Amino acid sequence: MKEINIGMVGYKFMGKAHSHAYKDLPLFFPDHIRPIMKVIAGRNHEAVSQAANQYQWESYTTNWQDLIDNDDIDLIDINAPSDVHKDIAIEAAKAGKHIYCEKPLALTLADSREMLEAAEQAGIKHMVGYNYRFAPAVMLAKKLIDEGRLGKIYHFRAWFLQDWIIDPNFPLVWRLQKDVAGSGALGDLGAHLIDLAHYLVGDISEVIGMSDTFIKERPLPTDMAGLTATAQSGMETGPVTVDDATLFLAKFTNGTLGSFEATRFATGHRSTNSFEINGSKGSVIFDFERMNELQVYFVDDSKDVQGYRRVYVTDEPHAFSSHWWPTGHPIGYEHTFIHAFVEFMKAIRENRLPNPNFYDGVKSQQVLEAVEKSISQKSWVQVSTL
Ligand code: SOE
């Protein structure tokens, strides 16, 4: 297969990131299957037609079912809000189309399991949008851990801190509505941390959490895109039905202890997605806002120079570096999506499941649901019991 025809549902923040990735992939990874941007779908005719023109999709539709019915489409990319992930994925699987679905996979664990079952039954390739795995510095952290260079892992601590809704007058966008988003900071940000924990350290056995919704009512929106919105002129408000912040502790099956913080009220943090991992032989710190760097510490460094040092992850043998720029030139957020789609194209060519796939999506959903259960029960909850 030299080319693959893409149909995409969604055209806002993730639609923009994914369009860019499909467009750029062939320029920098010419030996891979080339994604052809056939049809983009969105409910708002004016907005989706403008997106099709700007992002250079061949055509557009206001009905995602058209992508399912279009035999010319090989792969469906789902990045519309979470409440429609399940319906689109199950229809796409039945139609034998490969699926890339943004995170979190679904509104509930049960829904995510249905999506996995439909995808596996159809024998299609499925991938879930945990893009931070594809930051080269995160991949270096994984290499150090997998090669035993950090030793036994004692701690995984991760924090995803934003502040885009700190203003009480920020409108009630879909990410703040449980029936559309499933949860708030937990599923939107915590899901990334959970997936990174699975990718880097291993499975989580039990959790205990706490959460709060600091602003309980917000003005209704007229327009929203990604993390921006405008409020209606009147004073009509609606209830926020998700968490503004969730913190939880975790025990991993391998004995590692974990602490997680996901909040949209960390004033001053625009999108700080970070983790620190402490092992018997050393530690690493990743900070997405400095995503081309990995801080490393090794106990074997000689005493007179011991301390964290910064590795600039832009050169051979660092992942993907040969495809980008000469030594020392950084890449960005958008490149994590290109790397994810390279993995998808490779998996299709090699006839294997890409990573992360819907199994990882369900694993992440199991932890999300366990955290929510622990919050309502105010007790530790076993992840495997769900
Ligand atoms: C909003 O919090 C958001 O866009 C998330 O939905 C994305 O998954 C994350 O990568 C950036 O922030």
Side-chain angles (χ1 to χ4, degrees), residues 85-277:
H85 288 186
K86 182 181 109 175
D87 291 349
I88 299 171
I90 288 177
E91 290 304 308
K94 284 179 186 168
K97 301 182 190 297
H98 302 307
I99 303 168
Y100 185 96
C101 185
E102 266 299 338
K103 42 55 62 182
L105 208 49
L107 296 181
T108 65
L109 173 58
D111 285 356
S112 69
R113 284 192 166 128
E114 271 189 64
M115 292 165 72
L116 171 59
E117 189 181 334
E120 283 294 276
Q121 203 153 13
I124 50 110
K125 305 293 188 286
H126 43 86
M127 194 169 187
V128 61
Y130 288 116
N131 60 298
Y132 295 104
R133 289 185 180 210
F134 295 97
V138 172
M139 298 171 77
L140 176 59
K142 179 167 180 59
K143 183 171 183 287
L144 295 175
I145 292 166
D146 291 353
E147 292 175 353
R149 295 160 70 182
L150 297 190
K152 174 178 171 45
I153 304 301
Y154 295 118
H155 292 285
F156 176 86
R157 69 184 61 79
W159 53 105
F160 202 149
L161 314 175
Q162 294 182 344
D163 66 358
W164 55 282
I165 57 170
I166 200 75
D167 179 350
N169 296 315
F170 188 95
L172 191 68
V173 294
W174 70 263
R175 281 184 168 91
L176 307 182
Q177 301 168 35
K178 185 172 183 61
D179 58 342
V180 182
S183 62
L186 176 62
D188 189 24
L189 306 177
H192 279 299
L193 302 182
I194 292 164
D195 179 68
L196 286 171
H198 287 154
Y199 176 60
L200 294 163
V201 176
D203 291 350
I204 292 172
S205 56
E206 55 182 330
V207 295
I208 188 164
M210 66 174 174
S211 71
D212 203 351
T213 303
F214 303 117
I215 308 290
K216 308 232 188 297
E217 285 278 325
R218 289 183 178 269
L220 297 184
T222 49
D223 181 34
M224 55 180 128
L227 307 189
T228 58
T230 46
Q232 290 181 7
S233 53
M235 295 307 286
E236 199 177 352
T237 64
V240 175
T241 50
V242 297
D243 55 298
D244 286 332
T246 295
L247 292 77
F248 65 94
L249 301 176
K251 292 178 186 171
F252 288 75
T253 52
N254 63 10
T256 302
L257 299 184
S259 58
F260 298 74
E261 182 177 4
T263 180
R264 293 161 166 162
F265 278 71
T267 318
H269 289 274
R270 293 297 184 262
S271 207
T272 302
N273 173 6
S274 285
F275 59 79
E276 178 171 19
I277 299 173

